[in-house]
Every structure is written in C-alpha cells, then in structure tokens.
Amino acid sequence: AQRVTQPEKLLSVFKGAPVELKCNYSYSGSPELFWYVQYSRQRLQLLLRHISRESIKGFTADLNKGETSFHLKKPFAQEEDSAMYYCARSAGGYNKLIFGAGTRLAVHP
Amino acid sequence: GAGVSQSPRYKVAKRGQDVALRCDPISGHVSLFWYQQALGQGPEFLTYFQNEAQLDKSGLPSDRFFAERPEGSVSTLKIQRTQQEDSAVYLCASSFRTGRDGYTFGSGTRLTVV
C-alpha cells in the first residue's frame, strides 16, 4: 500500500534552533512529494514540492530516493513557523495525494 | 472566485440524518478532489472529478457517500444516514490541471454527528 509516514506528532524547539521534520514514503514508481502547512485558523496550503527545488520561507526539502525520505528542514526556526505540517506523495495519473498524519511544530520564544 | 469556497463551515447532524456539503472551486479549475480528515489524522482521499466526470471514487468509505459535479464547477458531497464515524472535516481542493502543481484547498466543513 502507498503510505506516508511522519514519525513525530509534535516537534518542539526554541526560536533560532534548526528544525527537521521527518517524512518517509512507500516506494512505488516515481511519486511527486509535497509539504503542506496549516497555520492556526487557516486552510491547508502548499509549502513546497520537490520538483521545483524551491526554498519557501527558509524551508527546504531534499528527496532521497535511496532512503525514500523527504525531510523538511530550516536552519533557524521562527515563532511564525508554528503550525501543522503534512507531507504528501502523489498517486495515480491525476495526482491524488496521500498524506501523512502530520507533525505539529511548536517554536518557543 | 478568489479561492475554493466550502459551505457550510460547520454542520451538526443527528445520527441517521442526510447531509449535503458544497464546494465551489476556483473558476476554470478542471480537477476537483474531496478529502476526509478525521481528528488527529492527515486528509484521506475520497473522490476525484475531472470537469463533470467522476474518475475515481475509490476512497468513498461506503455507499452512503455520494458526490457529484454536474456542470463541471460546483460539487456536492452527500452523506446519507450519517453515522458517528462520519464525524470529520471534509476538505475540497481544486487544481487547474491534474494537481501536479499542487492544489488549492478550501477551509473545509466540520461535520459532527450526534
């Protein structure tokens, strides 16, 4: 079965500390990988996708096909980064998404 | 419209009642997806439309769930004879093409079955 695993339900760090949110996916073909973010009282929104190789709000994510991982990283966390983060992979020709359970990032002052 | 609009935002239904959830996607978006998000979980795929055609309904949990998009724009997700396990947030998302560029999500409808 196609799965996305986010092993941490909660990641708590202090402002300025490095952040790494882990994501592993089940291998099946060549999926596209995404990170979505949901800030408090806001809708789920796309943060970044692996094919664009962008850095959004200081976050980057590298696809490691050997380890089937797509971890999200930021060198210096900010309080405004506090949110729920969901890793997702595509499935099917029309790119339905399979989501992980999410990791709540809490950045403390 | 400027974004994906869902209504109602909140719905409380008595067990056994039928409900209808509406999604108004971004104008011109071909692809429309419905997801179900239970408390503490990530969204789970329910069904997919390309224009008015429902190409995948493999995620619908039972035959009590039915979705339509008759004119290729607004979509309705209907749940018949609601059960407590149907309580969740129902998310709608749309995309210009196949979702390869990522989706735009609505704010969701929070359904509580009592």
Side-chain angles (χ1 to χ4, degrees):
Chain A
Q2 295 167 338
R3 288 190 306 276
V4 174
T5 303
Q6 293 181 251
E8 303 138 330
K9 281 198 172 295
L10 172 66
L11 185 62
S12 187
V13 302
F14 287 103
K15 177 182 174 181
V19 169
E20 181 179 65
L21 289 84
K22 291 183 167 51
C23 172
N24 288 89
Y25 63 95
S26 58
Y27 177 76
S28 174
S30 298
E32 297 196 28
L33 278 297
F34 303 83
W35 277 98
Y36 279 79
V37 61
Q38 187 167 28
Y39 300 102
S40 180
R41 302 184 186 280
Q42 295 188 26
R43 62 188 66 190
L44 199 58
Q45 57 187 281
L46 178 66
L47 180 62
L48 54 80
R49 51 196 174 113
H50 88 271
I51 59 173
S52 64
R53 298 182 180 274
E54 294 171 303
S55 173
I56 305 295
K57 299 185 179 183
F59 285 97
T60 59
D62 291 322
L63 180 62
N64 185 322
K65 292 185 178 180
E67 296 182 358
T68 59
S69 69
F70 188 57
H71 303 327
L72 184 68
K73 300 178 184 180
K74 184 170 183 177
F76 308 104
Q78 302 298 315
E79 289 180 67
E80 56 265 30
D81 296 330
S82 296
M84 280 294 297
Y85 290 82
Y86 295 95
C87 181
R89 60 156 288 168
S90 64
Y94 45 84
N95 290 304
K96 70 181 181 184
L97 294 178
I98 297 172
F99 286 86
T103 297
R104 178 170 297 282
L105 174 63
V107 182
H108 303 285
Chain B
V4 178
S5 178
Q6 291 189 246
S7 61
R9 287 294 309 274
Y10 304 92
K11 176 68 179 178
V12 178
K14 291 184 178 180
R15 190 167 49 184
Q17 186 179 354
D18 296 350
V19 298
L21 312 180
R22 176 188 169 104
C23 172
D24 200 340
I26 293 173
S27 178
H29 275 197
V30 167
S31 296
L32 186 146
F33 300 79
W34 283 98
Y35 285 81
Q36 179 191 58
Q37 185 172 19
L39 190 63
Q41 300 297 317
E44 291 193 6
F45 171 79
L46 292 177
T47 187
Y48 164 67
F49 289 87
Q50 186 176 92
N51 295 308
E52 69 278 4
Q54 188 176 21
L55 299 186
D56 187 344
K57 52 182 180 179
S58 62
L60 296 177
S62 77
D63 58 8
R64 295 186 296 103
F65 286 71
F66 171 78
E68 60 183 5
R69 193 186 185 198
E71 297 178 357
S73 56
V74 172
S75 177
T76 303
L77 176 66
K78 298 179 180 178
I79 309 173
Q80 297 178 322
R81 305 181 302 282
T82 52
Q83 305 292 316
Q84 282 193 317
E85 61 263 28
D86 300 335
S87 296
V89 175
Y90 290 85
L91 296 169
C92 177
S94 70
S95 174
F96 179 61
R97 292 178 295 177
T98 61
R100 181 172 292 271
D101 298 326
Y103 310 156
T104 301
F105 278 88
S107 296
T109 294
R110 181 177 296 278
L111 172 65
T112 304
V113 182
V114 297

